[in-house]
C-alpha cells in the first residue's frame, strides 16, 4: 500500500495511477485529498500484491522515481500489509480499553500481534496473560520515574512495534520517548480536546457543567494532549450525572474511539500534516 | 408552575406534594433532583391551573409558607404559564438562527411573542418584518458602542422580555447588561465550550484539527463564554472540510441547540445553581 | 427501592412521599411519569435502607397498604438493592458482548454476580473461565433443540437469575421459556428495530442501502424481535462499507446498548407497560 | 464535473486521470469507489472549467470516447456546475422544511434558483412570496387528484428543474410522475426507513416504543418509501415524549436531512446503483 503527500499540481493522480496501471496493479481502495489552505496533496492507494509482477521492495524502489518526479522527497511510504502489525500496549489500573482491544484481537476483528502489555500497576496482568500475552509490571515509584521509563522503553523497543498504545496509561511520556515513538505512539485522552487538557478531565467537565463528554485519540507529542487528533467522539450527560457517572459513560466512548484510531493507524489510513491529520 | 431549590433533607417531596394535593392540584409533570456534591435539592412541578381553587397570586402567597418551612428563602418561583412569553432577539448578519426561530414561531411550534428583533446590521430586517415583527437597526460604529448598547437596552427593556436571545449577535454585552439581564440573556456560541472561547471558533477548530464541531447555548454572564451551559450538541467534520464547510455544518447545530435551550428556558425547565444548570 | 404503577389521579405522589417521610426514609433518587394516553402513573423511589426503622420485608408489608389505597393491586414492587443481582449469560460464537460484560464486571463497573455462561458453541469457554465463571457448553444439534433448551433452562433456573442475557445467542427461545423468563430475559438485536427483524439484519441493511445501522436491547417475548424496547443506538455507515464493515461497526453499538439496557434492568429502572417501557 | 460508473477493471483511474491531465484539467476534488459485490466502479471528478482549453460541450464529446473505451455506454455524465441549479419545491401544510430551505437560499448557503413552490394548501404562500418566489396553490380535492397532479406536473416541468423536492408534501406521486422525474424527485420521509413506511410514522414509532426517531431523504420511486436512500439521521426520544413531542423533535432531523440530501444531489455527489446510492 502506498501513502503519499506532495505539493499539489495537475497530473499527480495521472502519474501515480498510470504507474500502477502499467505495472498491472489492481487498486482495491484509493483516496485523494487536497488541502486547499496549504496546497498539499495526499493520497492512499491500496494495491493487491498478487496483481503486481514484483515484490514490495521492488515496488518501493520503482515508486521512488515517481515520487521524486512529483517533488515528494520523503513524504511517502510503501507499506507491506502482509506483514502483521506489532503492537505494545501501556496501561495503568483502568482496564476498559485493554479489555476492549484484547476482545477485538481474540475475535479476529483486529488482526494484530500484541507483543506485550506493560503496566505501572500489576492489576491487569491476569487478563493479559489469559490471552497468552506477556505482561510486564514496571512500577513508577516516586523519584524513579526516569529509570521506569528507561525500562518501559527497553521493553517496547525490542518489538519494533508499529504502534505503542497508551490505553489509559496515566504517566506523561518524557520528551525523548515522544521523539523516539513519533507517529507511532497513540494516546486516548478522556475529554473532547482541546477542552480539559491534563489531569482529571471528567472533574473539570463536571465543574464546567457541560452537556456532553468526549474522548480523543491522538498521536503523542511532547506537548501534553496537543498532538494531532485521529478520532473523537462524545456522549451525552446531564445534571443527574455525578463525576462517577461521567467516568462510567465516558469509558464507552474512550474504548471505541481508541479502537477506531488504532485500526486506522495500523491500516496506514492516517497521514499527519503539521498538527492535523488526514484520515482516509 | 413551581420551581424550587433548597438544602436537601427528608420530607421535602412529601411537604410540597401534600401542599399541592390538599389544594387539589393536578400535577401534569414533576421532576426532582438532588445534587449530592452540594447537597442541594431541586424540583419543578407543573400544575393545572384549573385544578386549583385559587389564582396564581394566591398560590404564590401560600407556597411562600411551604418554602420558608423548608429553608428556601428566595430560591423558588411560581410561574404563570398562561402568560405568553415575551422574547427579544438580537442579531448581526448571520440569519440562520433567526430564520429558524421565526419558522418555529410561525408554525406555532414555539408559542411565544417575539416583540422585536434588533440588528447591528440591517440585513435581516426584511425577513423579520415579513413576519410582522418590528426590526430595529442599531449600528455599532467604532467609538459609539456605549451609545449603541444604551439604545439596545432601551429597545429591549421596554418589553420586559422573559428572554433576550443573542442569535449570533456578534457584540460582547457590557457587564451592566449582563447584570441587568442575568438569567434571561441566552447566547449561542459556535463551539463546544469550553473549547474555542472568543472569536472565530471554527478557525480555531480547523487549526486544531478536531473531528467534531459543536455549539453551546448558555446564559450570558460578564465572563465571556463562561456562563452556565443549557445545551450543547456536535456534528462530525473531517479533513476534507474547510473552515467554510465547518461554518456551514456548524450552523445546523447552532440553530437547533439555541432553539432547544430557548424552549427549555421559557418553559422554566432550567434551574441555575452556581455555574451549572439543572434542565428538567 | 420501590417501583410502582397505577391509574393516575391527584395525590399519589403526596401519598407515597408522605408514607416514606413518616418512616424517615431518605429518598436518594425519585422519578415520576404519567402516560397521558393510557392515564397511567409510574414512579421509582430509591430509599436509603439505613434511613428506615424497619427491614425490606416490613417495608413491603407496609407499602402494600399504600398501594392498595391507590388502586395498584399488583403493579408495584419493593426491591432489596443490597441483594447482589444474579445474571446468567447465553452466547453463541460472537464474543464481543460477552467480552464487554465480563470487562465491566471485572472492573467493578457492573457489580453483579455472573453465575454462569452457557454457549451453544464451546469457543467462548476459555475467556469465561479465565474470569472464574462456570461455562456450560450445550450443543444445539439438529433435531435436538427441545432437549438442548430443556438443558439450558435447567442450567439457568437453578440460579434464579434477575436477568437472563442473550448476548448474541443465535437461537430463538421457545414460547415456554419466553413465558418462564418474562420480564427477565434481555436480548440484543443487531438492528434498529422494527427494521430488519429476524436473520442477518446487516445483510438486509446493506441491501436496503441504509446510512445508519443500529442495535436494540429488548425484553424477549414469544413474538420474535417484537418485545418491549429498553434501549437503542445507531452508528453511521456509508457506501464504502461492506456487510463485513457493517457487522464490525455494529458490534460497537450492540455491546454498549446491551450493557446500558442490562444496567437499567438490574437497577429496576425499567417499567414495562404494554409493549412500551418507561426507563427511569 | 464528471460522474462515471462502469464495470471495475485495472487502469480505469489511470485512463480518466490521464485524459484530464493531458487536457491540463485541474482536479479540485476526486472520489472513487468500487462496489466489491457488484464489481462496479464509480468516480466523481470535479475539474476547474478554466483549467481546460475547451468548453463543457467539447469535454462531453471528448470524454465520450474515454467512457466508451472503458465499457461505460451510458452510465456517466458531464455536468456544467456554472449552470445554476433549478429547484421546484412541493409542500403541504407543514412548513419547517420549506422555511429551512428558504433560509439557506436567502443566506447564500444554498446557491440555487428556487423557481416555484407548489402547495396543496395555501398556508405557505406568504412566506414563499416574501422571498420573491412564485407560489402556486393546487388544491387536491377528493376525486380530482389526477387533474391536480396534471397541474402540478405542468407547473414543475416548465422549469426543467434539476430537483423536485417533496418537502413534506403529503400526496403520493402517481407512477407516471415518479417515472418522469426519476432521479430528480427527492422526498423526506419522517422515519428511519425501512421502519414505519407510509402514513403517520411518528404514531407508529410511539406505539412500538422506539428510543430514537429518524428521517430519511430518498429518491422517489413508484414503490412507496422504498427508493434509494441518500441520507438518514436520528434523534433520541424517551418515554416522556408524546407523539406530539416526537413530531416536534423529528422536525429538526427532517429539515437538516433533507437539506443535506438536496445539496449532495445538486452537487452531483449522489450516484444511484440499483436501489443503493454512492454519496461522494
Amino acid at each position: 500500500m502506498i501513502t503519499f503527500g506532495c505539493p499539489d499540481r495537475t497530473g499527480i493522480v495521472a502519474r501515480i495511477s498510470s504507474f500502477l496501471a502499467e505495472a498491472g496493479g489492481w487498486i482495491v481502495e484509493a483516496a485523494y485529498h487536497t488541502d486547499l489552505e496549504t496546497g498539499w496533496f495526499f493520497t492512499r492507494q491500496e494495491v493487491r500484491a498478487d496483481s503486481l509482477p514484483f515484490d514490495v521492495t521492488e515496488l518501493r524502489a520503482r515508486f521512488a522515481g515517481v515520487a521524486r518526479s512529483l517533488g515528494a522527497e520523503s513524504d511517502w511510504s510503501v507499506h507491506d500489509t502482509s506483514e502483521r502489525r506489532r503492537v505494545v500496549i501501556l496501561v495503568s489500573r483502568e482496564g476498559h480499553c485493554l479489555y476492549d482491544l484484547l476482545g477485538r484481537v481474540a475475535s479476529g476483528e483486529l488482526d494484530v500481534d500484541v507483543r506485550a502489555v506493560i503496566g505501572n500497576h500489576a492489576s491487569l496482568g491476569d487478563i493479559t496473560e489469559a490471552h497468552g500475552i506477556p505482561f510486564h509490571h514496571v512500577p513508577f515509584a516516586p523519584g524513579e520515574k526516569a529509570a521506569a521509563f528507561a525500562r518501559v522503553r527497553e521493553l517496547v523497543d525490542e518489538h519494533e512495534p508499529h504502534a505503542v498504545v497508551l490505553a489509559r496509561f496515566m504517566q506523561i511520556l518524557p520528551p525523548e520517548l515522544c521523539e523516539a515513538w513519533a507517529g507511532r505512539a497513540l494516546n486516548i485522552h478522556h475529554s473532547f480536546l482541546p477542552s480539559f487538557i491534563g489531569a482529571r478531565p471528567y472533574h473539570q467537565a463536571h465543574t464546567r457543567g457541560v452537556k456532553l463528554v468526549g474522548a480523543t485519540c491522538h498521536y503523542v507529542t511532547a506537548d501534553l494532549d496537543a498532538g494531532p487528533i485521529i478520532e473523537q467522539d462524545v456522549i451525552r450527560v446531564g445534571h443527574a450525572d455525578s463525576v462517577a457517572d461521567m467516568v462510567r459513560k465516558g469509558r464507552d466512548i474512550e474504548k471505541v474511539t481508541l479502537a477506531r484510531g488504532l485500526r486506522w493507524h495500523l491500516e496506514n489510513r492516517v497521514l499527519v500534516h503539521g498538527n492535523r491529520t488526514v484520515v482516509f
Side-chain angles (χ1 to χ4, degrees), chain A:
Chain A
M1 183 210 317
I2 296 167
T3 57
F4 180 86
C6 74
D8 196 25
R9 34 165 281 197
T10 58
I12 305 175
V13 177
R15 184 82 183 82
I16 295 175
S17 57
S18 298
F19 164 78
L20 288 171
E22 277 154 28
W26 183 286
I27 299 171
V28 177
E29 189 182 326
Y32 303 87
H33 172 62
T34 299
D35 187 65
L36 295 176
E37 276 159 76
T38 58
W40 206 259
F41 172 89
F42 304 85
T43 189
R44 176 182 180 276
Q45 306 269 342
E46 205 171 325
V47 184
R48 277 177 53 173
D50 61 9
S51 69
L52 291 171
F54 38 69
D55 69 4
V56 75
T57 311
E58 178 69 13
L59 173 63
R60 196 173 282 125
R62 293 189 182 208
F63 190 76
V66 177
R68 212 157 31 232
S69 76
L70 290 167
E73 288 311 309
S74 62
D75 204 0
W76 61 274
S77 310
V78 172
H79 309 274
D80 184 358
T81 53
S82 72
E83 187 188 19
R84 202 131 171 275
R85 267 46 186 157
R86 293 178 301 279
V87 173
V88 176
I89 304 176
L90 309 188
V91 298
S92 185
R93 254 188 289 236
E94 287 248 36
H96 54 285
C97 288
L98 177 65
Y99 251 86
D100 185 76
L101 293 175
L102 293 179
R104 291 174 200 268
V105 172
S107 71
E109 175 189 310
L110 195 61
D111 183 22
V112 304
D113 188 3
V114 180
R115 301 295 286 261
V117 175
I118 302 167
N120 64 334
H121 291 274
S123 50
L124 296 171
D126 286 354
I127 182 66
T128 302
E129 287 165 358
H131 286 80
I133 297 168
F135 181 86
H136 306 284
H137 177 206
V138 180
F140 274 63
E144 295 176 21
K145 283 213 174 183
F149 269 120
R151 177 72 184 128
V152 168
R153 180 174 191 167
E154 200 175 52
L155 288 166
V156 168
D157 284 353
E158 69 169 297
H159 300 292
E160 296 182 42
H162 296 86
V164 184
V165 182
L166 283 68
R168 295 299 309 274
F169 182 61
M170 303 304 285
Q171 301 289 331
I172 297 171
L173 287 199
E176 65 273 16
L177 279 188
C178 295
E179 173 101 1
W181 299 338
R184 290 186 296 149
L186 284 78
N187 185 45
I188 180 72
H189 185 72
H190 39 317
S191 85
F192 183 74
L193 289 175
S195 287
F196 312 131
I197 286 171
R200 295 162 63 92
Y202 290 119
H203 286 79
Q204 295 183 53
H206 191 263
T207 300
R208 182 60 188 94
V210 294
K211 300 301 184 185
L212 300 161
V213 292
T216 304
C217 177
H218 64 97
Y219 287 113
V220 177
T221 61
D223 241 351
L224 182 65
D225 298 332
I229 293 170
I230 304 170
E231 173 63 339
Q232 301 188 290
D233 213 337
V234 292
I235 193 167
R236 194 159 276 275
V237 293
H239 61 260
D241 288 305
S242 65
V243 171
D245 293 326
M246 289 168 120
V247 167
R248 175 171 52 78
K249 293 186 174 180
R251 277 189 206 120
D252 284 349
I253 292 299
E254 293 167 30
K255 65 191 187 190
V256 297
T257 301
L258 175 59
R260 283 202 291 260
L262 177 59
R263 161 179 289 271
W264 297 338
H265 169 77
L266 293 175
E267 292 179 353
N268 301 106
R269 295 184 177 280
V270 189
L271 281 67
V272 175
H273 189 62
N275 204 40
R276 308 179 71 237
T277 60
V278 171
V279 181
F280 280 133

mmCIF file of all heavy atoms in Angstrom, chain A residues 129-151:
data_model
loop_
_atom_site.group_PDB
_atom_site.id
_atom_site.type_symbol
_atom_site.label_atom_id
_atom_site.label_comp_id
_atom_site.label_asym_id
_atom_site.label_seq_id
_atom_site.Cartn_x
_atom_site.Cartn_y
_atom_site.Cartn_z
ATOM 1 N N GLU A 129 -2.452 -12.139 30.549
ATOM 2 C CA GLU A 129 -1.856 -13.470 30.405
ATOM 3 C C GLU A 129 -2.888 -14.531 30.029
ATOM 4 O O GLU A 129 -2.544 -15.523 29.378
ATOM 5 C CB GLU A 129 -1.092 -13.830 31.692
ATOM 6 C CG GLU A 129 0.208 -13.003 31.762
ATOM 7 C CD GLU A 129 0.872 -12.984 33.133
ATOM 8 O OE1 GLU A 129 0.305 -13.598 34.067
ATOM 9 O OE2 GLU A 129 1.945 -12.346 33.255
ATOM 10 N N ALA A 130 -4.131 -14.311 30.411
ATOM 11 C CA ALA A 130 -5.185 -15.237 29.978
ATOM 12 C C ALA A 130 -5.294 -15.267 28.458
ATOM 13 O O ALA A 130 -5.835 -16.199 27.881
ATOM 14 C CB ALA A 130 -6.525 -14.837 30.595
ATOM 15 N N HIS A 131 -4.807 -14.224 27.808
ATOM 16 C CA HIS A 131 -4.797 -14.182 26.341
ATOM 17 C C HIS A 131 -3.465 -14.655 25.768
ATOM 18 O O HIS A 131 -3.228 -14.527 24.558
ATOM 19 C CB HIS A 131 -5.081 -12.762 25.841
ATOM 20 C CG HIS A 131 -6.524 -12.385 25.996
ATOM 21 N ND1 HIS A 131 -7.049 -11.970 27.191
ATOM 22 C CD2 HIS A 131 -7.568 -12.416 25.118
ATOM 23 C CE1 HIS A 131 -8.348 -11.727 27.044
ATOM 24 N NE2 HIS A 131 -8.681 -11.986 25.802
ATOM 25 N N GLY A 132 -2.585 -15.160 26.657
ATOM 26 C CA GLY A 132 -1.297 -15.646 26.164
ATOM 27 C C GLY A 132 -0.341 -14.533 25.770
ATOM 28 O O GLY A 132 0.563 -14.745 24.962
ATOM 29 N N ILE A 133 -0.550 -13.360 26.345
ATOM 30 C CA ILE A 133 0.299 -12.209 26.018
ATOM 31 C C ILE A 133 1.153 -11.879 27.241
ATOM 32 O O ILE A 133 0.641 -11.829 28.363
ATOM 33 C CB ILE A 133 -0.573 -10.999 25.626
ATOM 34 C CG1 ILE A 133 -1.367 -11.319 24.356
ATOM 35 C CG2 ILE A 133 0.269 -9.741 25.452
ATOM 36 C CD1 ILE A 133 -2.455 -10.324 24.041
ATOM 37 N N PRO A 134 2.461 -11.657 27.059
ATOM 38 C CA PRO A 134 3.320 -11.323 28.203
ATOM 39 C C PRO A 134 2.930 -9.988 28.833
ATOM 40 O O PRO A 134 2.653 -9.020 28.119
ATOM 41 C CB PRO A 134 4.729 -11.224 27.592
ATOM 42 C CG PRO A 134 4.638 -11.886 26.258
ATOM 43 C CD PRO A 134 3.222 -11.743 25.804
ATOM 44 N N PHE A 135 2.913 -9.984 30.152
ATOM 45 C CA PHE A 135 2.624 -8.754 30.890
ATOM 46 C C PHE A 135 3.849 -8.375 31.708
ATOM 47 O O PHE A 135 4.418 -9.205 32.402
ATOM 48 C CB PHE A 135 1.425 -8.954 31.818
ATOM 49 C CG PHE A 135 1.066 -7.718 32.597
ATOM 50 C CD1 PHE A 135 0.218 -6.767 32.049
ATOM 51 C CD2 PHE A 135 1.587 -7.501 33.870
ATOM 52 C CE1 PHE A 135 -0.113 -5.617 32.758
ATOM 53 C CE2 PHE A 135 1.260 -6.346 34.589
ATOM 54 C CZ PHE A 135 0.408 -5.408 34.031
ATOM 55 N N HIS A 136 4.246 -7.112 31.611
ATOM 56 C CA HIS A 136 5.388 -6.632 32.391
ATOM 57 C C HIS A 136 4.915 -5.567 33.364
ATOM 58 O O HIS A 136 4.337 -4.558 32.947
ATOM 59 C CB HIS A 136 6.443 -6.024 31.463
ATOM 60 C CG HIS A 136 6.868 -6.943 30.366
ATOM 61 N ND1 HIS A 136 7.722 -8.004 30.553
ATOM 62 C CD2 HIS A 136 6.513 -6.981 29.055
ATOM 63 C CE1 HIS A 136 7.904 -8.641 29.408
ATOM 64 N NE2 HIS A 136 7.177 -8.041 28.485
ATOM 65 N N HIS A 137 5.200 -5.789 34.627
ATOM 66 C CA HIS A 137 4.864 -4.787 35.627
ATOM 67 C C HIS A 137 6.085 -3.913 35.881
ATOM 68 O O HIS A 137 7.119 -4.389 36.353
ATOM 69 C CB HIS A 137 4.417 -5.482 36.928
ATOM 70 C CG HIS A 137 4.126 -4.506 38.023
ATOM 71 N ND1 HIS A 137 4.206 -4.806 39.349
ATOM 72 C CD2 HIS A 137 3.734 -3.210 37.957
ATOM 73 C CE1 HIS A 137 3.910 -3.741 40.072
ATOM 74 N NE2 HIS A 137 3.607 -2.772 39.249
ATOM 75 N N VAL A 138 5.968 -2.652 35.560
ATOM 76 C CA VAL A 138 7.058 -1.690 35.784
ATOM 77 C C VAL A 138 6.541 -0.622 36.742
ATOM 78 O O VAL A 138 5.843 0.315 36.332
ATOM 79 C CB VAL A 138 7.507 -1.034 34.460
ATOM 80 C CG1 VAL A 138 8.639 -0.047 34.726
ATOM 81 C CG2 VAL A 138 7.942 -2.089 33.447
ATOM 82 N N PRO A 139 6.842 -0.743 38.029
ATOM 83 C CA PRO A 139 6.332 0.244 38.993
ATOM 84 C C PRO A 139 6.962 1.613 38.769
ATOM 85 O O PRO A 139 8.132 1.703 38.357
ATOM 86 C CB PRO A 139 6.766 -0.323 40.350
ATOM 87 C CG PRO A 139 7.261 -1.710 40.090
ATOM 88 C CD PRO A 139 7.709 -1.745 38.670
ATOM 89 N N PHE A 140 6.174 2.643 38.985
ATOM 90 C CA PHE A 140 6.669 4.018 38.863
ATOM 91 C C PHE A 140 6.762 4.630 40.248
ATOM 92 O O PHE A 140 5.949 5.480 40.617
ATOM 93 C CB PHE A 140 5.740 4.836 37.958
ATOM 94 C CG PHE A 140 6.064 4.705 36.498
ATOM 95 C CD1 PHE A 140 5.956 3.470 35.844
ATOM 96 C CD2 PHE A 140 6.509 5.797 35.764
ATOM 97 C CE1 PHE A 140 6.269 3.344 34.491
ATOM 98 C CE2 PHE A 140 6.811 5.674 34.415
ATOM 99 C CZ PHE A 140 6.689 4.449 33.777
ATOM 100 N N ALA A 141 7.742 4.220 40.989
ATOM 101 C CA ALA A 141 7.901 4.744 42.338
ATOM 102 C C ALA A 141 8.343 6.204 42.263
ATOM 103 O O ALA A 141 9.031 6.611 41.320
ATOM 104 C CB ALA A 141 8.939 3.913 43.091
ATOM 105 N N PRO A 142 7.949 6.998 43.254
ATOM 106 C CA PRO A 142 8.359 8.401 43.268
ATOM 107 C C PRO A 142 9.887 8.493 43.226
ATOM 108 O O PRO A 142 10.579 7.721 43.896
ATOM 109 C CB PRO A 142 7.835 8.923 44.616
ATOM 110 C CG PRO A 142 6.803 7.938 45.041
ATOM 111 C CD PRO A 142 7.156 6.633 44.431
ATOM 112 N N GLY A 143 10.378 9.388 42.401
ATOM 113 C CA GLY A 143 11.823 9.567 42.307
ATOM 114 C C GLY A 143 12.499 8.576 41.386
ATOM 115 O O GLY A 143 13.684 8.687 41.100
ATOM 116 N N GLU A 144 11.740 7.597 40.875
ATOM 117 C CA GLU A 144 12.363 6.606 39.998
ATOM 118 C C GLU A 144 11.686 6.533 38.639
ATOM 119 O O GLU A 144 11.707 5.505 37.961
ATOM 120 C CB GLU A 144 12.318 5.220 40.670
ATOM 121 C CG GLU A 144 13.163 5.199 41.937
ATOM 122 C CD GLU A 144 13.049 3.862 42.668
ATOM 123 O OE1 GLU A 144 12.656 2.864 42.016
ATOM 124 O OE2 GLU A 144 13.359 3.831 43.867
ATOM 125 N N LYS A 145 11.074 7.631 38.273
ATOM 126 C CA LYS A 145 10.350 7.653 37.001
ATOM 127 C C LYS A 145 11.286 7.459 35.818
ATOM 128 O O LYS A 145 10.953 6.749 34.858
ATOM 129 C CB LYS A 145 9.611 8.983 36.843
ATOM 130 C CG LYS A 145 8.358 9.044 37.676
ATOM 131 C CD LYS A 145 7.296 9.883 36.978
ATOM 132 C CE LYS A 145 6.002 9.808 37.776
ATOM 133 N NZ LYS A 145 4.899 10.525 37.140
ATOM 134 N N ALA A 146 12.440 8.117 35.878
ATOM 135 C CA ALA A 146 13.367 8.040 34.738
ATOM 136 C C ALA A 146 13.776 6.598 34.495
ATOM 137 O O ALA A 146 13.758 6.108 33.356
ATOM 138 C CB ALA A 146 14.585 8.932 34.983
ATOM 139 N N ALA A 147 14.115 5.912 35.567
ATOM 140 C CA ALA A 147 14.509 4.506 35.434
ATOM 141 C C ALA A 147 13.352 3.661 34.922
ATOM 142 O O ALA A 147 13.525 2.775 34.074
ATOM 143 C CB ALA A 147 14.992 3.975 36.783
ATOM 144 N N ALA A 148 12.161 3.976 35.430
ATOM 145 C CA ALA A 148 10.989 3.214 34.995
ATOM 146 C C ALA A 148 10.762 3.414 33.494
ATOM 147 O O ALA A 148 10.506 2.457 32.757
ATOM 148 C CB ALA A 148 9.759 3.643 35.783
ATOM 149 N N PHE A 149 10.852 4.653 33.046
ATOM 150 C CA PHE A 149 10.641 4.911 31.626
ATOM 151 C C PHE A 149 11.721 4.249 30.768
ATOM 152 O O PHE A 149 11.452 3.782 29.655
ATOM 153 C CB PHE A 149 10.576 6.412 31.338
ATOM 154 C CG PHE A 149 9.174 6.946 31.403
ATOM 155 C CD1 PHE A 149 8.820 7.938 32.303
ATOM 156 C CD2 PHE A 149 8.194 6.437 30.558
ATOM 157 C CE1 PHE A 149 7.518 8.414 32.373
ATOM 158 C CE2 PHE A 149 6.893 6.915 30.609
ATOM 159 C CZ PHE A 149 6.555 7.907 31.530
ATOM 160 N N ALA A 150 12.944 4.231 31.292
ATOM 161 C CA ALA A 150 14.018 3.548 30.552
ATOM 162 C C ALA A 150 13.670 2.068 30.374
ATOM 163 O O ALA A 150 13.856 1.486 29.303
ATOM 164 C CB ALA A 150 15.345 3.716 31.283
ATOM 165 N N ARG A 151 13.131 1.491 31.436
ATOM 166 C CA ARG A 151 12.742 0.081 31.388
ATOM 167 C C ARG A 151 11.583 -0.128 30.406
ATOM 168 O O ARG A 151 11.586 -1.061 29.607
ATOM 169 C CB ARG A 151 12.346 -0.366 32.801
ATOM 170 C CG ARG A 151 11.856 -1.789 32.910
ATOM 171 C CD ARG A 151 12.963 -2.808 32.759
ATOM 172 N NE ARG A 151 12.438 -4.178 32.782
ATOM 173 C CZ ARG A 151 12.696 -5.089 31.854
ATOM 174 N NH1 ARG A 151 13.498 -4.798 30.826
ATOM 175 N NH2 ARG A 151 12.177 -6.297 31.936
#
